[in-house]
Amino acid sequence: MPMEDSPPRIEVQHGPEGRVLLQGAWTAANLTQKPLWDALAAQLKALRAQTASSASPAALRWSLSPLEKLDYLGAQVLWSAWNHHWPAGLQIEPEQRAMLETVEKFTVRPLPPPRPSWLEPVLMLGERLLSLLSHAKGMLRLLGQLLLDMGRLVRHPQQGPWRDLSGHLYNFGATALPITALVGFLIGVVLAYLISQQLRQFGADAFIVNILGISLIRELGPVLAAILIAGRSGSAITAQIGVMRVTEELDAMRVMGIARGFRLVMPRAMALALVMPLISVWTTIAALLGGMLAADISMGVTPSFFFNALPAAVKVSNLVLATAKSVVFGLLIALIGCHYGLRVKPNTESLGQGTTASVVTSITVVILVDALFAVLFKSVGI
């Protein structure tokens, strides 16, 4: 009967020059047994700290002569324990050396960690600026193409994508009414409760109509509607055009000579520019109803008083300003959604990244443009 291989062992001889004797069979069959490997790994970890290059006088002297067997897995374990360096005073058989030299030849040493450079922040800033300029250039090109397509539509209205426009009006507008009304109503309730707690301290209950009216009609209503539409319809625009990129429909349109701007960008931009003012007014009305209900419950301000005091508290110019802002919001959301959709690469990872970037950029641009309107038209309706 063939004799079984003895388990791999490590014997450390202490003295002026420490010696490490390797015994047993260092083969894959033995090293893959968990109890044996755990014991050897602990010993090798302790010895690895003491093992240095051959130039080190304090290096341990390893002896592989007592080994019964050594295969490539055992050689790889030893080479890793030696930190990819040959130890000093190594006693080894020619066959063992040849095997270890083969392992050394095909072992990839880990690259040293890159040294930090003061140029890295500058290069990163430059990359961000170039990316920003690329997006700005793409948006400007998209806006110019939209103006050209609108001119073509005026000259040849019979060629317009009216069916696409009507479908987008329904998808972007009618289907968004329930969620915008619900969110607007709840925002009005919360805002009225918070305002009532402060006004009650000064006995200025009647001024809740002024605060709710000017805040909801002029600012919160249009901005809230735009944020909801950016998260709902802006992401849908990017996903729709991005899927067309992934499925190569955009390439097919180019081959067939169909203008992408005229059939994809213009109908969506027109639809959102038309429905955003309506959704803004719808959201504002729902928020006012929620605020009126909360004011009646918390402060006793009756709905009849609310309706009578609202026209005197809020001028019509505030509603005109809010409607104008909503048109700009809708146009920007559509252009940003189309911009990121057209930049999607033909893979699903880029589609997800483009959709996320579209929503974040749309919401950020809406808030920035609202702040710009607030600064430029600060004297309107006051």
Side-chain angles (χ1 to χ4, degrees):
M1 295 179 62
M3 296 180 60
E4 294 185 0
D5 296 335
S6 58
R9 302 182 304 279
I10 300 176
E11 181 182 346
V12 181
Q13 296 179 350
H14 300 283
E17 293 184 354
R19 292 173 59 83
V20 181
L21 302 178
L22 302 183
Q23 302 172 353
W26 287 62
T27 59
N30 290 329
L31 294 175
T32 52
Q33 297 181 22
K34 193 174 188 311
L36 289 176
W37 171 246
D38 291 342
L40 287 175
Q43 288 182 283
L44 290 173
K45 184 177 181 182
L47 292 172
R48 186 174 181 178
Q50 306 176 39
T51 304
S53 65
S54 58
S56 175
L60 294 173
R61 298 183 179 274
W62 292 71
S63 176
L64 276 63
S65 299
L67 281 179
E68 299 176 7
K69 288 183 180 180
L70 179 68
D71 63 4
Y72 283 106
L73 179 60
Q76 181 66 56
V77 170
L78 290 176
W79 186 248
S80 300
W82 295 342
N83 293 320
H84 299 168
H85 292 90
W86 291 92
L90 176 64
Q91 296 180 4
I92 189 172
E93 300 297 329
E95 298 83 1
Q96 298 169 347
R97 178 176 289 275
M99 189 171 297
L100 282 166
E101 287 176 350
T102 303
V103 171
E104 178 188 12
K105 180 180 178 181
F106 291 100
T107 298
V108 179
R109 297 185 179 182
L111 296 175
R115 298 178 60 184
S117 173
W118 63 272
L119 287 175
E120 289 185 3
V122 179
L123 294 176
M124 185 178 298
L125 179 61
E127 291 178 358
R128 297 292 177 86
L129 290 177
L130 289 177
S131 176
L132 183 62
L133 289 176
S134 175
H135 284 287
K137 181 180 177 181
M139 284 292 297
L140 185 60
R141 184 188 299 113
L142 204 62
L143 181 59
Q145 186 62 49
L146 176 63
L147 294 177
L148 294 177
D149 292 334
M150 293 294 294
R152 174 185 171 185
L153 181 65
V154 172
R155 293 192 304 270
H156 307 285
Q158 69 278 3
Q159 300 178 2
W162 302 113
R163 180 174 296 180
D164 294 340
L165 177 61
S166 62
H168 294 319
L169 286 173
Y170 174 77
N171 292 326
F172 298 157
T175 58
L177 294 180
I179 185 63
T180 52
L182 176 62
V183 175
F185 181 84
L186 295 178
I187 290 295
V189 171
V190 173
L191 190 62
Y193 271 114
L194 293 176
I195 294 174
S196 64
Q197 293 179 1
Q198 303 301 318
L199 294 181
R200 190 180 294 110
Q201 301 177 9
F202 305 98
D205 297 0
F207 288 99
I208 191 173
V209 180
N210 301 60
I211 299 176
L212 281 178
I214 195 68
S215 60
L216 292 176
I217 295 176
R218 186 184 178 100
E219 295 295 336
L220 290 181
V223 173
L224 182 61
I227 291 176
L228 291 174
I229 294 300
R232 183 183 179 277
S233 301
S235 60
I237 291 174
T238 304
Q240 290 169 0
I241 300 179
V243 169
M244 295 178 69
R245 169 73 71 186
V246 173
T247 56
E248 300 182 352
E249 292 181 51
L250 295 181
D251 298 331
M253 291 179 63
R254 184 173 64 251
V255 172
M256 296 171 64
I258 301 175
R260 296 181 303 179
F262 192 75
R263 295 305 303 267
L264 296 179
V265 179
M266 188 185 68
R268 290 169 170 82
M270 291 178 58
L272 270 183
L274 290 174
V275 302
M276 269 305 302
L278 303 177
I279 295 177
S280 173
V281 173
W282 171 262
T283 307
T284 303
I285 292 174
L288 288 174
L289 291 176
M292 181 179 62
L293 177 62
D296 187 19
I297 296 174
S298 62
M299 304 183 68
V301 177
T302 61
S304 59
F305 175 81
F306 200 98
F307 279 118
N308 292 329
L310 186 62
V314 183
K315 297 180 180 178
V316 180
S317 55
N318 291 289
L319 182 60
V320 175
L321 178 62
T323 304
K325 286 196 299 186
S326 299
V327 175
V328 177
F329 291 162
L331 185 62
L332 289 175
I333 291 171
L335 288 178
I336 292 172
C338 294
H339 169 72
Y340 280 98
L342 293 172
R343 291 173 70 96
V344 168
K345 298 177 182 179
N347 58 74
T348 54
E349 181 181 2
S350 177
L351 177 61
Q353 293 175 351
T355 304
T356 303
S358 171
V359 174
V360 174
T361 305
S362 298
I363 294 175
T364 304
V365 169
V366 163
I367 296 175
L368 290 177
V369 172
D370 181 69
L372 182 63
F373 267 90
V375 173
L376 295 179
F377 301 97
K378 58 183 178 180
S379 59
V380 175
I382 303 300

